[in-house]
Amino acid sequence: MTQKTDFALSSRGTLLDLPKGRWGPRQIVLIFALLFAIWHILTNVYLAEPGLWQNAIHFAGFAFIVSVTRSPWGHRSDETWAWVVDTLYGLAVAAAALWVAYAESGLYERSLAVTGQGWQFTVVDWAAGVLLIFACIDLSRRVAGWVIPILIVLALSYILFLGSMMPGVFRAASLPLDDVLFRTLYNDEGMFGILAEISVTNITLFMIFGGFLVVSGASNFVIELSKVVAGRIKGGAAFVAVISSALTGTISGSAIANTASTGVITIPLMKANGFRPQFAAGVEAAASTGGQLMPPIMGAGAFVMASYTSIPYGTIVAVSVVPAILYFLSVAFIVRIEAVKYDAGGEMDLTVDKGKLMSGGLVFVIPLAVMIWLLLSGVTPAYAACWAIAAVILTSWATSLLARLITNGSFKSIDMGVAKISEALASGIRSAMMTAILLTAIGIMNNAIVTSGVGNGFSLMIAQWSQGSMALAIVLIALASLVLGMGLPVTAAYIILAILTAPALAGIMADGLIVEQLVNGIADPAKAGLFFLVEHPLAAQVADGMTRAEAWELMAAVPFEIAVTIRPVLVDPTLQMTFLLTAHLIIFWLSQDSNVTPPVCLAAFAAAGIAGSRPMATGFESWKIAKGLYVVPLLFAYTPLISGDISQVLQIGFFSLFGIYATYAMIQWYAEGPVGWLSVPLFVVGGIGAYWPLAWLPNIAGAIAVVAAIVLSTRARGVETVKARAA
């Protein structure tokens, strides 16, 4: 039993390292996982199951896999009785999910026959529904800890009885038990609704695609290409980490997976290159966090965002390219500053494995090109991912054949045969396990939030506390994301925050346009009449105009329920959609900070384990390096980085680099040398000018000031060097 295969499902929590030999439960689970992965591809291309059936099958399969691979029995999990219990439990949950899909039409028929008497669930319906809710609580605990289960219990309690006890805007009517069960199971916002659909049609497919890229050797190509690009410059090993994490982010979309896959190579390289262990780990964690910001996959966030905003996935990916580049360059800036400050990262010749570079290049480039071309042509992300998977297989076959023909067998390329395809499918299912369970479980909370209207209350609270201040609203959301991120994966934290705060943030942006109209006066009687609903003396001056301070005072007095009526009338629908996308992107970026921000920063902890550095010190280092997570959202809020045309976006992006460098230089108190008394005002004034949106003169002047400060710091380093040699 000591001999291992290369891929499989182990009994407890991994898809790898199954014993060879006799057939048993583990091999059966592996075969099921492979068939389940194939079903995900087929259901998005050829099969045509109704949405409820598709989502129910998706959850049923993952519930079974998690039940038998994430056992709650600890060290006794390999005993026969534990296997039997886990298997029966997983089968029961799967059967319950399928029953709910099967029983839908009968439920409607019985309930219509006796109108006015509630939903007519049978005993089997009740048993299946209760078991599914329990399974969501239990399985989400197994894959992600206790936070989601606690939130599910609170959400159900809120719409059952707690809501009627709450004060003010958070008060909600209590619903009958049968109504709660129906809404939880069958609503579009419930367990088998929008979020589950995102998981089955997009996320799982992209996880499988990522598995194919990794197994095909594309991840090796990423590392080798990074060595070619950055291996011979000062701090080259750290730049390898930044570049490889950026490219790997297009494959994995997961900060922790990114850290684990590239960190085992880049962190030892950085340490050997003279970087401090905790800084090396911090760079890897911060760069890997950017993997979830890097198009085209962007973790699960882009798919969720597309569903909630009804904005095409391709649009979200397109507007995210420049911000992602800004983030990775911001990490590169601090790498450069560190290398110069501590004289680390001297020039080194990182040996490049030409075999891995050549074999993985086409397998990386061609499938990604196929997927991006299909996305731009307007097909669904699911369809694009399926054909990209096919492109990986075909490209690997072609590459392997060419390698044998051209090099006469002296150069080997990875050939995606049955074993490698199975490994890739198993890897994809492993990566998707947590997300599939969590998105179904979060559907219970999503339903409770929508049903009770508590989301509107939370948005009102954000609007009241921020007093119309965009900066203060962003700070509040950042704090909330950090707290949620201590116990939730970033995708789950983003979904919850988006549901609760995106309307408020988008509303504040829209209010800025309304304020401009109030200052100039609203001549249209129909539009001006909307403010007569507001009990405030300034409402009578709407047609005549007012000062900007008075306009903000009036908008602050508009009740939330009236504001949602006024905004669609006074703000163009296209701009409203832009504001909604901007709000979601701000929240999505801020939700990533839990990967690198103490006290709970899983990507930083994973990197610390590889580097052998102290986890908490590494966490603070990664938090300092990943400041772009806060800078770029501010650019979203205060510049047209999202809404502008290509020339405006490039202008903002280019000059923002000078501002970002100035920001990091002030944080580190070092640039290309020590920051002296004359450099400080240059960095401060230059940074402000560089950040100023769409103002050529301040932008150019700011960039010149930052460059001047860098030159002064370089001279200061030269003076230090001369003094050190003299001493």
Side-chain angles (χ1 to χ4, degrees):
M1 299 289 277
T2 58
Q3 194 176 11
K4 305 282 185 171
T5 60
D6 291 329
F7 63 93
L9 272 163
S10 79
S11 59
R12 297 303 180 246
T14 177
L15 288 167
L16 302 174
D17 301 332
L18 254 183
K20 285 182 177 178
R22 62 184 179 82
W23 279 83
R26 301 181 183 187
Q27 284 76 9
I28 294 173
V29 172
L30 170 62
I31 292 175
F32 172 78
L34 298 180
L35 294 174
F36 191 47
I38 294 171
W39 172 81
H40 276 89
I41 297 173
L42 294 178
T43 192
N44 284 288
V45 179
Y46 297 111
L47 304 180
E49 301 102 334
L52 178 60
W53 271 104
Q54 189 183 53
N55 297 345
I57 293 171
H58 172 72
F59 178 72
F62 275 111
F64 173 72
I65 292 173
V66 172
S67 296
V68 298
T69 59
R70 301 290 179 94
S71 176
W73 308 113
H75 67 280
R76 306 181 67 183
S77 60
D78 281 327
E79 297 183 18
T80 302
W81 67 267
W83 268 105
V84 172
V85 171
D86 289 338
T87 301
L88 291 177
Y89 173 61
L91 291 173
V93 175
L98 299 178
W99 176 264
V100 165
Y102 168 77
E104 182 185 24
S105 59
L107 172 63
Y108 287 140
E109 291 173 2
R110 291 191 303 273
S111 301
L112 287 173
V114 287
T115 55
Q117 298 184 28
W119 296 103
Q120 301 300 302
F121 289 106
T122 66
V123 174
V124 178
D125 294 338
W126 277 106
V130 171
L131 177 59
L132 285 174
I133 294 173
F134 173 80
C136 283
I137 294 172
D138 174 49
L139 298 179
S140 60
R141 177 195 61 80
R142 297 191 193 187
V143 299
W146 280 102
V147 174
I148 289 288
I150 292 172
L151 291 176
I152 291 174
V153 172
L154 289 175
L156 290 173
S157 301
Y158 187 84
I159 55 177
L160 281 170
F161 61 89
L162 280 181
S164 60
M165 305 177 186
M166 298 295 288
V169 295
F170 292 104
R171 186 177 183 84
S174 298
L175 299 177
L177 188 59
D178 62 331
D179 197 25
V180 171
L181 183 64
F182 173 82
R183 292 170 182 267
T184 299
L185 297 177
Y186 293 109
N187 266 12
D188 285 342
E189 296 81 13
M191 283 180 58
F192 301 132
I194 297 171
L195 294 179
E197 183 179 349
I198 294 169
S199 182
V200 67
T201 58
N202 290 320
I203 296 172
T204 303
L205 279 177
F206 275 85
M207 295 295 186
I208 295 172
F209 172 57
F212 272 89
L213 284 177
V214 171
V215 171
S216 68
S219 58
N220 294 330
F221 161 77
V222 165
I223 297 293
E224 301 309 316
L225 178 64
S226 302
K227 292 179 183 178
V228 172
V229 174
R232 294 181 177 274
I233 61 176
K234 190 175 182 64
F239 286 113
V240 167
V242 176
I243 297 170
S244 61
S245 293
L247 294 175
T248 304
T250 66
I251 301 174
S252 69
S254 167
I256 299 173
N258 205 338
T259 301
S261 61
T262 60
V264 292
I265 298 174
T266 59
I267 291 175
L269 280 176
M270 284 186 276
K271 291 172 65 179
N273 205 200
F275 287 99
R276 296 171 294 140
Q278 67 191 45
F279 181 82
V283 167
E284 179 57 45
S288 294
T289 296
Q292 293 193 251
L293 308 171
M294 175 59 70
I297 295 181
M298 296 174 64
F303 306 122
V304 177
M305 205 179 300
S307 296
Y308 272 103
T309 62
S310 298
I311 295 172
Y313 172 83
T315 301
I316 295 171
V317 167
V319 301
S320 298
V321 171
V322 172
I325 293 173
L326 289 178
Y327 176 79
F328 282 106
L329 288 176
S330 74
V331 177
F333 286 158
I334 203 165
V335 166
R336 173 65 185 179
I337 292 172
E338 173 84 5
V340 175
K341 184 176 183 179
Y342 294 100
D343 197 23
E347 292 186 5
M348 63 183 299
D349 186 6
L350 299 175
T351 303
V352 177
D353 188 327
K354 294 181 179 178
K356 291 180 179 179
L357 184 66
M358 294 173 63
S359 64
L362 291 177
V363 181
F364 180 83
V365 173
I366 292 177
L368 278 179
V370 168
M371 184 175 67
I372 293 170
W373 175 73
L374 288 171
L375 288 172
L376 293 176
S377 67
V379 304
T380 64
Y383 189 86
C386 290
W387 282 106
I389 291 170
V392 174
I393 298 173
L394 294 175
T395 305
S396 74
W397 290 348
T399 304
S400 180
L401 179 61
L402 287 173
R404 287 196 295 269
L405 292 175
I406 296 173
T407 64
N408 198 24
S410 62
F411 170 73
K412 295 185 181 290
S413 176
I414 295 176
D415 191 345
M416 294 292 288
V418 174
K420 290 295 183 182
I421 290 174
S422 299
E423 183 180 355
L425 292 171
S427 176
I429 291 296
R430 176 189 59 197
S431 301
M433 282 167 55
M434 181 174 71
T435 305
I437 295 297
L438 289 184
L439 288 186
T440 306
I442 291 173
I444 300 176
M445 291 184 287
N446 187 29
N447 172 70
I449 290 169
V450 173
T451 299
S452 63
V454 69
N456 290 339
F458 200 90
S459 291
L460 176 60
M461 182 181 69
I462 292 290
Q464 289 177 339
W465 287 4
S466 63
Q467 293 295 303
S469 168
M470 178 75 68
L472 187 53
I474 291 174
V475 169
L476 293 172
I477 293 171
L479 292 174
S481 73
L482 182 58
V483 172
L484 281 177
M486 291 180 186
L488 293 178
V490 292
T491 300
Y494 159 65
I495 292 171
I496 294 172
L497 278 172
I499 294 170
L500 294 175
T501 65
L505 197 56
I508 291 173
M509 296 178 195
D511 288 348
L513 292 183
I514 297 175
V515 163
E516 295 299 324
Q517 296 180 49
L518 291 173
V519 170
N520 297 322
I522 300 176
D524 188 335
K527 294 180 179 180
L530 294 171
F531 287 90
F532 293 159
L533 301 172
V534 182
E535 296 182 1
H536 195 281
L538 290 172
Q541 298 179 217
V542 169
D544 302 324
M546 58 190 74
T547 66
R548 192 173 303 278
E550 290 174 334
W552 277 113
E553 181 184 344
L554 177 58
M555 287 305 302
V558 178
F560 181 82
E561 60 274 11
I562 297 178
V564 296
T565 303
I566 291 175
R567 287 169 187 150
V569 177
L570 297 180
V571 180
D572 181 81
T574 302
L575 286 175
Q576 290 186 63
M577 192 61 70
T578 300
F579 293 148
L580 185 62
L581 174 59
T582 303
H584 274 267
L585 282 171
I586 290 172
I587 295 166
F588 178 62
W589 275 65
L590 292 177
S591 68
Q592 309 301 318
D593 66 350
S594 59
N595 280 319
V596 291
T597 307
V600 179
C601 38
L602 297 183
F605 290 165
I610 299 171
S613 58
R614 291 177 298 161
M616 200 56 64
T618 302
F620 280 106
E621 197 76 47
S622 64
W623 174 73
K624 183 171 64 174
I625 296 168
K627 283 295 188 295
L629 291 176
Y630 309 104
V631 173
V632 176
L634 290 174
L635 294 177
F636 291 156
Y638 291 104
T639 74
L641 184 62
I642 298 300
S643 58
D645 58 39
I646 186 64
S647 62
Q648 292 175 327
V649 171
L650 291 178
Q651 180 183 346
I652 293 168
F654 175 75
F655 287 106
S656 293
L657 291 175
F658 293 91
I660 291 171
Y661 186 93
T663 302
Y664 275 117
M666 295 304 296
I667 291 173
Q668 295 292 97
W669 207 248
Y670 209 89
E672 288 295 302
V675 175
W677 63 270
L678 187 56
S679 299
V680 172
L682 287 174
F683 274 130
V684 172
V685 175
I688 293 173
Y691 282 131
W692 204 277
L694 300 180
W696 282 104
L697 186 59
N699 289 165
I700 294 172
I704 292 173
V706 171
V707 171
I710 293 173
V711 171
L712 289 175
S713 68
T714 304
R715 291 180 177 178
R717 178 163 59 93
V719 172
E720 276 192 346
T721 303
V722 171
K723 290 182 178 179
R725 288 175 179 173

